[in-house]
Amino acid sequence: MASKDETVFHATGLTKVYRSGAHEVQALRGVDFQARKSEFIVILGPSGSGKSTFLNIVGGLDRASGGEVWFRDHQLTALDDRGLTQYRRDHVGFVFQFYNLVPSLTARENVALVTEIARRPMSPDAALALVGLSDRRDHFPAQLSGGEQQRVAIARAIAKNPEVLLCDEPTGALDSATGIKVLEALAEVNRKVGATTLVITHNAAIRDIGDRVLRFADGRIVEETVNATKKRPAEVSW
Amino acid sequence: MVISPLRRKVLRDLRRLWAQALAIALVLAAGVATLILGNGAYASLSETRARYYGEFRFADVFADVTRAPLALMAEVRGIAGVLAAEGRIVKLALLDLPDMAEPGTILLVSLPEAGEAGLNQLYLRQGRLPDSQSADEVVVSEGFATAHRLRPGSSLAVVMNGQRRTLRLTGVVLSPEFIYALGPGELMPDPRRFGVAWLPRPGLEAAHDLEGAFSNLVLKLAPGADADRVIEAVDRLTAAYGGAGAIGRADQISHAFLDAELRQLSAMVKILPPVFLLVAAMLVNMTLSRLVTLEREQIGLLKAIGYSGRAIAQHYVEFVLAVAVVGIAIGFAAGAWLGAGLAGLYARFYAFPFLVFARDAGVYGLAALVTAGAAVAGALFAVRAVLTLPPAVAMSPPAPADYRSRMGFALQHLALRQTAVMTVRHLIRWPLRTASGIFGVAMAVAVLVASLWTFGSIERLIDLTFFQAERQDVTVAFAGAEPARAVQAVRQMPGVLLAEPYRSVAARISHRTLSRKVSITGRPAETTLSRVLSPDARPMALPDAGLVLSEALCDALAVRPGDLVTVEFLEGQRRTITLPVSGQSLGYVGLGAAMEISALNRAMHEGALISGVNLMLDKAQGPAFYAAAKAAPKTGFVIVLGRTVQRFRDTLAENITAMISVYVVLAAIIAVGVIYNFARIALSEQGRDLASLRVLGFTKAEVSGILFGELAVIVLLAQPLGWGIGHLIGLGMVTAFSSDLYRVPLVIGREVYAMASLVVCAAALASALAVRRRINRLDMIEVLKTRE
Ligand SMILES: Nc1ncnc2c1ncn2[C@@H]1O[C@H](COP(=O)(O)OP(=O)(O)OP(=O)(O)O)[C@@H](O)[C@H]1O
Ligand SMILES: [Mg+2]
């Protein structure tokens, strides 16, 4: 294993322009960014500031219009669709606001969906145990609460032992108590699995649980704060 | 013009769902086209025939006699119900044509005398009718003239009653009596080998020694007259003159074949269009159910703001009607086009002077109405459920799909991949739709099985008829019965390797109230050439006494081996006797009755007589043999079996190929329509899940595999069902097609099922690939931003 401060992500001059007809939207206007192994990064910023766009490019879901992103020695911005798929499959775990679970599969099956195609997965049961849902593994998403569904999504994201965990508003659809549980699950996983974790949130209170906080505005990173001490999710006031 | 918002939505939906709408429209079009084709062809054929018969006074009753005095005509005309009667001379003659080595056959028919009204009047295509005083002028049937490039002015060499004569063509004609002109012993009209010629009476009288006499009788009945009574009366009057039994139109060859064709058409109309319309209704229902589910909240909103359930239902019905209109329009065009093709076929097979095109608005109107009805029914069925929901319930999103129930859990114990589990659970979740999909694809398979089997069936018919039963190269039929030693003379002809005599006698066989006029064939007990086959297709020896009847005849008379039947011979001493049915034989063409030849001679109380000889020929000496046969005074006509088989195979192959191409297209339309719509609906329901899987790192191929897995299950499960339904349709067709003229063996070989499945799988693959493009374009980011 590489050293603790090995660079996992390295982005320079990242831009993204959405074109719809004559209309142009500058979603990213030159983002420079680095992340180290096991780092827990919280991303804040007003709506429309480009947070999701940034996360999607880093996660290999979308392509940049300009600039470069490197994941270790892979230049993501040079990969084709097949290469990006392989990147997501091998290295990235995702958690989204709306969980995106498969409704026809049980909790355990949703996790197994990913472990079946992963290189060095943990067992689905172990992943569910990490998020505290062992006893609900045979329930379908429709039988679970929002928070429970989100924890299944986290279990699914970490079950492959990913090197990066990307979370876009994971607590956005949850009440505060549930949100804390979900964040605790994320923090726990970050500690145990050692995945570099990026979490987008609108809740500024959450900033304290990260190693570092990035603030987006108008397609740029406008502020970067390093937390000397991390709080545990339960300690932050919501 | 102001378009209401709902109507604008109809247009927008149509644009958005155009591919699915088109797939449905095509299935509807197939229904419309088959309806129009079937009904239109039926109407066209039956109306053409009716008009032709009416205008050209086609007779109602027909009878052959050996020789009856013209004076008898007065008595015939006196029979109650007879409107007009004509005594004609009708005789077969041999053709001696320079462009044909083997002798052809021409049927010579006397023209009515000047002043006679005439039945079965001729339609003059070219030239003029013969001068009634002339001894060598003649008009011939059009098919024959065309086949031999004969024109008014051409000459024609015939051998009449052993005398060679040269006739001069004055015209080319058509006759309602020979719309389907089948030569003696032939299976298919062959205008090269068989023609009909009409000439003035005197020439025929002289050649056949029939001055003041007639050999054939045609009667026209008064409307409403009882044909059976007239037939009985004619039989009584003609018995003394060698009357071979009068027949009505139903037994007249040309008429009967047209009847068989009409029956097939009406069977087609009963089977095909309902299949298409049912499948289309199912597709409409499937597609609209999904649309309505997607628009559930909008429907709730519309109801909340005061739109009535009716107005909303009308909106969806309008959408479906728009699809139906497109389908109907395509169907009209395709139906008219196919109809023209079929009419072309008819024009080749049936000699009509004109074809009445049933561009009957009624047929089109009915087709449109039935089709629109099927579509709307499918739509209302789908919309019903939502309309009954209170607006408040409808406006809230539907409860998430419930995958808990049923056999879903059993899957955990199978070692399936999770993606396979998704496939199976989704299929089980919507059992009705899954069943519809399976049924629809099965119908495509069935339509193919039900059309493709005919190839094998015809091959079997040919094999049994020509390679197992009738194995002779040539049959020489004498003009009349000859002593058994006549076979020696034939044996002496060049190239004859084997000669076997036969006796053929017209008789009426009856059992209880059922009776059929057939010809009983006498053969030696064991033969090498023309053989009687047992029902298991093995050659059988003829018993010493008693009759062997074909299965078709046994069915027609409701007899089984062991029963007694009454046989009334219509030749010689015209005895009526009782004979046992000693066996059943296989035979697909006509009604067959066979007897050991000497037993037949004994039963007839005649000496050792024969009617003709079956021959095996040395091919190299064919021309020499044919020359000798033409020259032999006793030769009535010659059947060359090789040519018959060839003609049969060519003609049927052509027709069946045309028919099967149409069926393959129709089946492909069903398969594509069902599978494409099914796939689109599945994609609409699972697109979000599939896009999520792409996010998780599943490849395009893996994600498509989930959906294709569903299609594969549907297509696979549909195969055996389709084979079964196809077999049943085949069975129905065999029943519908079988008549006294011919039967069709139902043989569906493995290659038929395989071919049907192959075509449907190809269509399925094409539809799957069409959907694959959409799967590949799934927007991953979009599904992350929205809740379902
Ligand atoms: N597919 C798209 N087409 C056009 N514009 C887009 C598209 N996706 C995003 N944008 C625009 O890009 C900008 C950045 O969007 P992004 O989704 O990254 O914002 P965000 O910071 O995640 O906002 P939020 O907090 O509301 O999720 C916005 O102005 C948005 O309207
Ligand atoms: Mg966002």
Side-chain angles (χ1 to χ4, degrees):
Chain A
M1 269 270 146
S3 77
K4 181 95 176 147
D5 34 46
E6 173 194 359
T7 302
V8 176
F9 281 118
H10 180 88
T12 48
L14 210 54
T15 62
K16 176 73 182 179
V17 183
Y18 287 110
R19 252 179 218 99
S20 46
H23 217 68
E24 271 194 10
V25 180
Q26 277 272 355
L28 295 179
R29 302 171 186 265
V31 172
D32 300 315
F33 166 76
Q34 287 197 3
R36 278 171 291 112
K37 186 171 160 50
S38 302
E39 214 179 351
F40 194 118
I41 300 171
V42 174
I43 299 174
L44 297 171
S47 186
S49 57
K51 305 181 296 292
S52 296
T53 305
F54 171 71
L55 199 78
N56 290 341
I57 292 173
V58 167
L61 288 173
D62 205 351
R63 292 169 178 290
S65 308
E68 283 183 7
V69 190
W70 290 78
F71 168 76
R72 299 192 187 281
D73 48 359
H74 304 289
Q75 188 189 348
L76 299 185
T77 35
L79 290 177
D80 61 0
D81 183 76
R82 188 185 297 264
L84 286 178
T85 301
Q86 196 63 42
Y87 161 67
R88 294 198 301 273
R89 185 176 184 132
D90 291 343
H91 307 288
V92 188
F94 285 106
V95 180
F96 299 100
Q97 182 177 4
F98 300 117
Y99 332 131
N100 292 77
L101 296 177
V102 176
S104 58
L105 298 179
T106 61
R108 190 180 182 286
E109 288 165 344
N110 261 289
V111 179
L113 190 62
V114 167
T115 56
E116 275 176 2
I117 59 164
R119 285 182 200 275
R120 40 185 186 88
M122 58 179 93
S123 84
D125 289 327
L128 283 172
L130 263 181
V131 296
L133 275 180
S134 296
D135 52 337
R136 308 298 299 274
R137 64 183 179 192
D138 286 332
H139 287 81
F140 286 94
Q143 295 167 285
L144 299 171
S145 74
E148 286 161 349
Q149 290 187 51
Q150 191 61 300
R151 277 145 70 197
V152 174
I154 294 171
R156 183 178 67 180
I158 56 154
K160 68 165 93 159
N161 278 312
E163 284 144 281
V164 286
L165 190 56
L166 304 179
C167 314
D168 194 343
E169 298 186 41
T171 58
L174 305 173
D175 64 53
S176 63
T178 321
I180 288 170
K181 274 193 190 153
V182 166
L183 289 174
E184 274 179 335
L186 280 178
E188 170 92 358
V189 164
N190 169 251
R191 215 166 30 244
K192 288 209 171 137
V193 181
T196 306
T197 306
L198 275 67
V199 179
I200 296 179
T201 178
H202 276 281
N203 189 342
I206 291 173
R207 57 170 30 178
D208 296 339
I209 68 168
D211 295 310
R212 199 148 53 105
V213 181
L214 303 178
R215 176 178 296 281
F216 271 72
D218 200 20
R220 289 192 188 87
I221 297 176
V222 291
E223 188 190 326
E224 187 179 338
T225 327
V226 178
N227 287 336
T229 50
K230 275 202 283 191
K231 285 189 185 168
R232 294 199 299 116
E235 293 165 349
V236 302
S237 56
W238 201 272
Chain B
M1 193 177 72
V2 182
I3 304 178
S4 77
L6 273 185
R7 199 145 292 157
R8 198 167 309 135
K9 178 172 170 304
V10 168
L11 296 175
R12 211 164 284 151
D13 285 346
L14 280 174
R15 233 197 4 243
R16 189 166 55 88
L17 298 172
W18 70 270
Q20 279 172 277
L22 182 67
I24 296 173
L26 284 177
V27 177
L28 284 170
V32 174
T34 46
L35 255 178
I36 289 186
L37 177 64
N39 280 327
Y42 186 94
S44 180
L45 194 56
S46 63
E47 273 171 37
T48 301
R49 188 174 75 169
R51 219 166 91 190
Y52 192 18
Y53 283 179
E55 284 176 27
F56 291 82
R57 303 197 39 160
F58 183 53
D60 296 302
V61 173
F62 309 78
D64 281 318
V65 298
T66 317
R67 180 184 208 284
L70 279 171
L72 191 67
M73 288 310 295
E75 281 179 68
V76 171
R77 291 192 181 99
I79 298 171
V82 172
L83 203 61
E86 199 184 313
R88 312 184 295 182
I89 299 174
V90 176
K91 288 286 176 185
L92 282 173
L94 282 176
L95 278 168
D96 190 5
L97 290 167
D99 57 344
M100 240 168 64
E102 71 276 22
T105 309
I106 192 156
L107 188 71
L108 304 177
V109 181
S110 66
L111 284 164
E113 308 272 55
E116 274 186 293
L119 297 176
N120 304 337
Q121 290 170 1
L122 301 178
Y123 178 94
L124 195 62
R125 269 277 206 237
Q126 272 182 53
R128 58 167 176 83
L129 288 179
D131 179 36
S132 62
Q133 301 308 311
S134 132
D136 64 349
E137 286 188 354
V138 65
V139 288
V140 299
S141 50
E142 185 179 48
F144 177 73
T146 309
H148 293 284
R149 297 160 200 260
L150 299 175
R151 268 183 297 273
S154 306
S155 61
L156 181 66
V158 300
V159 183
M160 280 159 78
N161 203 13
Q163 302 156 294
R164 210 186 130 88
R165 293 263 303 273
T166 302
L167 303 173
R168 223 157 20 85
L169 241 71
T170 62
V172 174
V173 296
L174 295 171
S175 158
E177 199 178 352
F178 300 100
I179 295 172
Y180 190 86
L182 199 61
E186 300 285 347
L187 290 180
M188 278 279 154
D190 184 352
R192 227 171 83 78
R193 298 204 0 97
F194 177 72
V196 188
W198 289 262
L199 59 169
R201 206 162 210 291
L204 274 171
E205 274 184 346
H208 289 278
D209 209 10
L210 284 169
E211 283 88 357
F214 64 89
S215 74
N216 174 275
L217 189 59
V218 285
L219 308 178
K220 182 115 197 97
L221 303 186
D226 181 351
D228 291 336
R229 298 270 285 279
V230 174
I231 287 173
E232 273 172 41
V234 169
D235 284 353
R236 260 196 314 276
L237 282 178
T238 57
Y241 304 100
I247 52 171
R249 279 183 178 179
D251 293 316
Q252 200 261 349
I253 292 284
S254 165
H255 183 91
F257 269 94
L258 279 164
D259 270 351
E261 179 76 42
L262 286 170
R263 206 167 40 241
Q264 291 188 18
L265 280 173
S266 73
M268 182 195 112
V269 173
K270 285 196 193 95
I271 296 175
L272 277 185
V275 167
F276 287 106
L277 295 180
L278 187 66
V279 171
M282 266 170 30
L283 286 182
V284 166
N285 180 260
M286 248 200 241
T287 310
L288 225 61
S289 294
R290 178 60 191 159
L291 190 63
V292 163
T293 307
L294 285 175
E295 294 178 353
R296 179 188 148 114
E297 293 167 47
Q298 298 174 41
I299 293 174
L301 185 74
L302 287 173
K303 284 180 85 169
I305 61 176
Y307 278 89
S308 68
R310 250 183 105 93
I312 297 167
Q314 190 191 333
H315 163 68
Y316 288 102
V317 167
E318 273 176 18
F319 172 76
V320 165
L321 278 180
V323 175
V325 164
V326 174
I328 290 168
I330 299 175
F332 278 178
W337 182 69
L338 287 172
L342 194 62
L345 266 184
Y346 286 159
R348 290 215 342 246
F349 269 86
Y350 303 114
F352 286 116
F354 49 79
L355 263 181
V356 179
F357 267 107
R359 280 278 148 68
D360 181 0
V363 172
Y364 283 74
L366 184 77
L369 213 67
V370 170
T371 307
V376 168
L380 288 179
F381 207 69
V383 178
R384 207 190 34 171
V386 176
L387 287 184
T388 52
L389 287 180
V393 179
M395 268 198 298
S396 60
D402 182 3
Y403 286 95
R404 258 172 302 170
S405 53
R406 286 168 287 235
M407 32 206 291
F409 262 106
L411 293 170
Q412 288 182 336
H413 306 292
L414 300 172
L416 287 180
R417 295 198 123 225
Q418 301 312 325
T419 43
V421 173
M422 285 176 69
T423 299
V424 178
R425 288 234 178 90
H426 192 247
L427 284 173
I428 296 174
R429 175 67 188 81
W430 307 101
L432 204 67
R433 186 201 306 148
T434 303
S436 298
I438 293 173
F439 178 74
V441 176
M443 283 325 248
V445 176
V447 164
L448 281 171
V449 168
S451 60
L452 291 172
W453 68 274
T454 41
F455 269 127
S457 168
I458 296 299
E459 275 314 309
R460 176 156 169 83
L461 198 155
I462 288 176
D463 178 57
L464 282 173
T465 309
F466 297 107
F467 296 98
Q468 309 292 330
E470 309 295 329
R471 307 197 301 168
Q472 62 275 25
D473 296 318
V474 165
T475 296
V476 173
F478 300 136
E482 295 290 330
R485 63 176 181 282
V487 74
Q488 298 305 337
V490 177
R491 220 167 250 151
Q492 304 303 318
M493 291 184 184
V496 174
L497 300 177
L498 190 61
E500 290 174 351
Y502 70 88
R503 177 82 175 105
S504 177
V505 182
R508 181 174 287 119
I509 304 184
S510 340
H511 177 245
R512 304 219 176 95
T513 55
L514 301 168
S515 95
R516 283 291 187 282
K517 214 190 117 198
V518 299
S519 66
I520 300 177
T521 310
R523 294 185 181 83
E526 309 229 6
T527 50
T528 317
L529 300 176
S530 175
R531 309 189 294 189
V532 176
L533 300 180
S534 63
D536 58 356
R538 267 191 274 271
M540 64 195 278
L542 291 170
D544 294 340
L547 285 161
V548 173
L549 305 183
S550 70
E551 289 168 327
L553 186 52
C554 283
D555 289 350
L557 296 175
V559 294
R560 271 180 304 175
D563 291 345
L564 292 176
V565 291
T566 306
V567 177
E568 181 192 352
F569 291 110
L570 302 171
E571 293 180 24
Q573 295 181 24
R574 308 181 70 85
R575 302 185 67 229
T576 299
I577 56 172
T578 301
L579 285 175
V581 177
S582 4
Q584 219 178 27
S585 68
L586 187 66
Y588 294 114
V589 182
L591 300 174
M595 246 180 122
E596 199 279 320
I597 187 164
S598 50
L600 179 59
N601 289 148
R602 275 197 308 279
M604 295 266 302
H605 275 192
E606 64 185 14
L609 293 183
I610 63 174
S611 305
V613 192
N614 291 316
L615 300 171
M616 187 158 87
L617 279 190
D618 174 3
K619 293 269 176 336
Q621 299 200 51
F625 167 81
Y626 292 130
K630 277 184 228 176
K634 285 167 185 159
T635 308
F637 58 90
V638 177
I639 306 167
V640 183
L641 269 89
R643 287 207 59 88
T644 306
V645 181
Q646 195 57 42
R647 174 85 188 157
F648 190 69
R649 200 174 256 150
D650 291 352
T651 316
L652 283 178
E654 205 177 318
N655 288 356
I656 291 179
T657 307
M659 179 193 88
I660 284 182
S661 323
V662 171
Y663 277 68
V664 166
V665 171
L666 293 180
I669 286 175
I670 295 189
V672 169
V674 172
I675 295 168
Y676 183 73
N677 269 294
F678 194 91
R680 284 293 302 274
I681 292 167
L683 181 59
S684 143
E685 278 171 356
Q686 293 179 286
R688 185 184 164 79
D689 301 344
L690 299 184
S692 299
L693 291 194
R694 290 278 291 127
V695 169
L696 296 180
F698 281 77
T699 62
K700 286 176 179 171
E702 283 167 337
V703 165
S704 314
I706 294 174
L707 209 115
F708 289 179
E710 277 192 41
L711 302 185
V713 169
I714 297 281
V715 170
L716 280 181
L717 290 180
Q719 301 305 320
L721 184 63
W723 296 338
I725 298 176
H727 188 98
L728 286 181
I729 296 180
L731 217 59
M733 283 165 72
V734 164
T735 317
F737 288 7
S738 72
S739 63
D740 285 357
L741 297 173
Y742 52 84
R743 288 185 157 197
V744 190
L746 181 69
V747 265
I748 309 189
R750 268 188 230 152
E751 72 287 350
V752 170
Y753 296 118
M755 189 68 194
S757 295
L758 207 68
V759 170
V760 168
C761 289
L765 199 67
S767 340
L769 290 178
V771 176
R772 200 195 146 105
R773 289 200 353 260
R774 286 175 185 273
I775 302 179
N776 287 346
R777 287 202 313 246
L778 280 175
D779 189 339
M780 290 183 277
I781 295 166
E782 187 62 37
V783 302
L784 303 178
K785 287 187 191 161
T786 51
R787 188 185 284 280
E788 188 175 14

